[in-house]
Structure formats: C-alpha cells, structure tokens
Amino acid sequence: MIEAFAGLYGPSPDVRVFRAPGRVNLIGEHTDYNLGFVLPVALELATYIAVAPGSDGKLRICSEHRHESDAMREWDLAGIGSLQRAGHWTDYPIGVARELMAIGFAIHPANLLIRGTVPEGAGLSSSAALEVASALAFLNGRGMAPVDLARLCQRAERNFVGMPCGIMDQYISIFGRERCAVEIDCRSLGHRLVPIPDTVAFVAVNSMVKHALAGSAYQERVAECAAAVTALQSRFPLVLSLRDVSSEQLAEVSNLMPETVARRARHVVTENARVNRFVDASSRGELEIMGRLMVESHRSLQHDYEVSCAELDFLVDAALGIEGVLGSRMTGGGFGGCTVTMLRHEAAGGFRDRIATAYERQFKVTPKIYSCTPSAGAGEVQDIETIPAAN
Ligand code: GLA
C-alpha cells in the first residue's frame, strides 16, 4: 500500500496508515437509535487509509475500489466548509472533515489513499469503517477521546450523508476487541466486553442483495419509533425513548397507536430484552439459548419490524437445517446484506458448502461467506505486513 501511495502521489517519508474495521451485529437490531442495547463484533474486514501531508493547500482522496474516472477527487481546503452532499462515496470523508472543522480541528493539506476489504452494501458497515478511518487519517496522530470520535463520525453520516443512523457501527469500529463482542448501551455510551465462547464460531453469509431500499425504509422506521414514543408519553410521561418501555407498558397503550407502529415498538422492546438475555446466556455458556434468541430476533425483524427479505429469510431457514448450527438471523439494517449464523466450531467447513449450495439452487447466485473473527477496533497500523494486498 505504501508503494501504491508513492506511485500515486510520489514518495513521502511521512506516510502513516490507519485501519478501521467493519462489523457484524450478533443481536440487538434497530435498537441503537432507540437508545437501547446492541452486541456487535468488529471484523477483520477493514478499511485502510494511507495518508501524508500535502504541500499545495489541497486535500486529495483516492479510492482503489472505484473505476479510474471516479477514483480520485481533490478539493481546496478553503472550500470544504461550503460543500453540499454530492451523493458520492466522498460524502463520507468530506462529512467527517466538516465535523472535525466544526469542533475546531483544522484540516491540513493531505493526500489519502483508501483500500478496503469490507464489502459495500452488504450490511457489514463499510460506511462507518470509511468514516472512522477518514477521521483518523485527518487527525493524523492528533488525539480525541474514542467516544467523541464515534459520535463525530455518526454526526457526519447523519448531517452530511443524510442517513439518520444510530451509534452502533461507528462505536464498534472504534471499540472492537479481539475474541469479544461488545455490548453497547446506546444511551450511556458505555460498553462491556462479552467474550465469545471458544466452542462456537460466527459466520456471515452475504445474500448479495444490495440493501437499496434501506435508506427510505430506515427513515420510516425511525419515524415510526418516534410516533410510538409520543403515544406512550400520553400515559407514561417519563418515557423518553423505547429504551424506557416494558412489554407491559406497551401492551397497555398499544390501542392508542396504529397497529404497524405497535408492532415496530414491540420489536424494539423485545429485542432489547433479547440482548440482555443473550449476554447472560453467553456468560453461562448456554449455547442453545443464545441460538434460540438469535432466531427469535430474526422472526421479530421479519414479521414485526419488516426489514427482512425473501433471500435473508431463506438463508436463515436453510442455516437452521444444517448440522451444528445453533442460531441464525439477518444482521444490520436489513432489506438485503448478510445473515449471521452461530455454529459449533467443527461445523464451520460443512456449513459453508451446504449453505452456498442451497442458496445457489434457490436464487442462482453464489453467496459470499465471511468468518466473523472478532478483531481489534480502529487505530494506526503498526505492522505494514498486515495490510491486505490490493484486489
Ligand atoms: C444500520 C445503522 C445502525 C443500526 C443498524 C440496525 O447499520 O447504521 O446504526 O441502526 O442499521 O441495527
């Protein structure tokens, strides 16, 4: 990557490389913007950015993953503050640059080169990985509290990209830990590490359906949750978000809201409880219970929250028929992307073959399959040998 950087911008003694991982969420879906609980894992799949100071007052960003004509962009630093969203991949780094400027961090002239292994549109959070890696590259060694960095990257996505996301993806990209899932409390923004039992593995299967609907439907779900909170407040004035609501409270007022809104709220309330039960079961090594909770989560996303699709449902159902599988569910925003399956370690090889064959037979598409080994959160790359080759 250092050579590629030199080939593009000329050699520089000051190149540094920053890495930010994608994620898979084990359980706790569509709970983050309701200030509830999530349990993601940072992946080995990651975005890498090589950066060196520039000399001519410009910011240049090049992505190895774009077609040549679309790969390189440059800006005068003075103009960044007045840029509008362009509907382009550079909205992510530019959104981050603007948020840094808004809190008083100068953006210096710099050349950046992006390389990554997180598949786009697969629900494994390539956007957050790009945001966090961009923030680290712009900061280039200047310090910021990790939680502030997560919030800044979330603001970039909400304010500039225009996606009203929660904090999960940016947070896990920063706070990921080897061998652990991270239970995030999306209200306090604290977390605890949840060691993954070493007898199980998690595998993500990419339906190869790009979650195109996700943007508009996501906004719709956010609005439906807000409508549920408003209805709940008429009876329970202390409720500030669905995080504060019990199943009993919801049942008491569900006739005050449209049936769809009540189902959306039921998903969020039951999903928060499932995260806590999953973490408890994990601490006791109760693998079957963990698996069952994942399946319950999927059914709730499928029927109550309605963010699944035929391909994801098929992958879950097919997985559950394969030996050694303990549980399976869609992961991420939905409408395509990946499922995550929990299975006994020794079953992983057989699972890959069988799920791929079943999916190909049904949809005539070969799914991509990724092992979800929990990895460390974002930071500067210390050993350049660990940077993947360009693909
Ligand atoms: C997307 C968002 C996250 C979260 C998930 C659903 O990945 O970016 O904030 O809401 O969907 O759990």
Side-chain angles (χ1 to χ4, degrees):
M1 192 176 187
I2 306 287
E3 276 165 27
F5 186 92
L8 191 65
Y9 297 116
S12 162
D14 302 316
V15 189
R16 297 169 79 171
V17 183
F18 296 92
R19 165 192 174 274
R23 62 100 187 94
V24 71
N25 188 20
L26 303 187
I27 195 160
E29 218 65 81
H30 289 277
T31 46
D32 62 349
Y33 52 84
N34 291 298
L35 307 186
F37 299 95
V38 292
L39 188 68
V41 162
L43 297 174
E44 286 173 339
L45 301 169
T47 297
Y48 295 79
I49 301 188
V51 59
S55 52
D56 58 357
K58 292 196 191 296
L59 173 64
R60 286 194 191 79
I61 309 184
C62 178
S63 165
E64 287 185 348
H65 304 285
R66 306 289 149 175
H67 188 267
E68 228 171 287
S69 60
D70 187 38
M72 172 73 105
R73 287 286 187 276
E74 66 172 52
W75 300 264
D76 287 323
L77 288 175
I80 290 182
S82 53
L83 290 173
Q84 303 286 325
R85 172 190 322 158
H88 191 253
W89 64 268
T90 51
D91 285 349
Y92 295 97
I94 293 298
V96 168
R98 289 165 57 99
E99 292 298 336
L100 282 167
M101 289 161 63
I103 57 165
F105 280 90
I107 300 296
H108 301 307
N111 296 321
L112 278 68
L113 175 64
I114 302 173
R115 170 176 295 181
T117 51
V118 191
E120 279 177 30
L124 299 180
S125 218
S126 62
S127 323
L130 178 54
E131 289 153 8
V132 173
S134 300
L136 293 177
F138 293 139
L139 287 166
N140 203 359
R142 287 176 287 176
M144 183 183 293
V147 77
D148 292 340
L149 190 62
R151 294 173 65 180
L152 181 135
C153 291
Q154 181 198 19
R155 284 201 302 279
E157 183 145 352
R158 294 176 70 104
N159 297 343
F160 198 67
V161 179
M163 157 82 176
C165 64
I167 189 83
M168 166 167 71
D169 305 347
Q170 294 80 9
Y171 193 106
I172 186 63
S173 186
I174 292 164
F175 286 92
R177 194 69 74 83
E178 281 165 1
R179 286 183 289 282
C180 291
V182 180
E183 184 188 19
I184 306 167
D185 177 334
C186 299
R187 170 172 276 158
S188 73
L189 297 187
H191 68 260
R192 61 175 159 155
L193 299 177
V194 178
I196 302 283
D198 51 14
T199 47
V200 297
F202 289 90
V203 177
V205 181
N206 188 346
S207 66
M208 311 305 279
V209 177
K210 295 243 174 185
H211 49 47
L213 243 179
S216 53
Y218 192 94
Q219 300 195 6
E220 216 174 271
R221 298 298 179 278
V222 172
E224 287 165 336
C225 291
V229 168
T230 306
L232 278 147
Q233 283 170 337
S234 67
R235 182 72 142 270
F236 304 106
L238 294 183
V239 164
L240 295 177
S241 79
L242 289 177
R243 153 71 177 271
D244 303 316
V245 178
S246 66
S247 294
E248 292 73 25
Q249 286 174 316
L250 184 61
E252 235 183 282
V253 293
S254 54
N255 59 342
L256 301 182
M257 45 183 109
E259 188 268 342
T260 312
V261 170
R263 275 191 293 120
R264 305 297 189 242
R266 183 168 63 189
H267 164 73
V268 175
V269 170
T270 57
E271 184 77 352
N272 273 327
R274 278 188 289 273
V275 176
N276 294 316
R277 285 160 62 202
F278 187 95
V279 170
D280 285 349
S282 168
S283 70
R284 290 194 291 269
E286 293 170 347
L287 307 182
E288 281 83 6
I289 295 181
M290 294 164 73
R292 269 207 302 278
L293 288 164
M294 290 177 75
V295 179
E296 279 177 28
S297 165
H298 183 77
R299 298 302 172 214
S300 178
L301 290 157
Q302 181 180 3
H303 301 300
D304 277 353
Y305 220 62
E306 295 180 289
V307 291
S308 186
C309 62
E311 290 84 351
L312 292 172
D313 295 341
F314 177 88
L315 284 172
V316 166
D317 293 334
L320 295 177
I322 297 175
E323 204 184 312
V325 169
L326 293 150
S328 186
R329 55 184 290 279
M330 56 154 275
T331 186
F335 300 104
C338 289
T339 58
V340 58
T341 296
M342 173 177 158
L343 71 180
R344 296 186 194 280
H345 244 300
E346 61 280 9
F351 171 77
R352 284 173 173 253
D353 292 343
R354 290 189 58 188
I355 197 81
T357 308
Y359 195 70
E360 278 161 15
R361 199 177 299 138
Q362 184 76 10
F363 293 105
K364 314 283 174 273
V365 174
T366 304
K368 291 217 169 84
I369 301 180
Y370 318 94
S371 56
C372 302
T373 310
S375 85
E380 183 167 5
V381 173
Q382 302 300 335
D383 175 4
I384 57 169
E385 299 300 321
T386 61
I387 301 173
N391 48 16

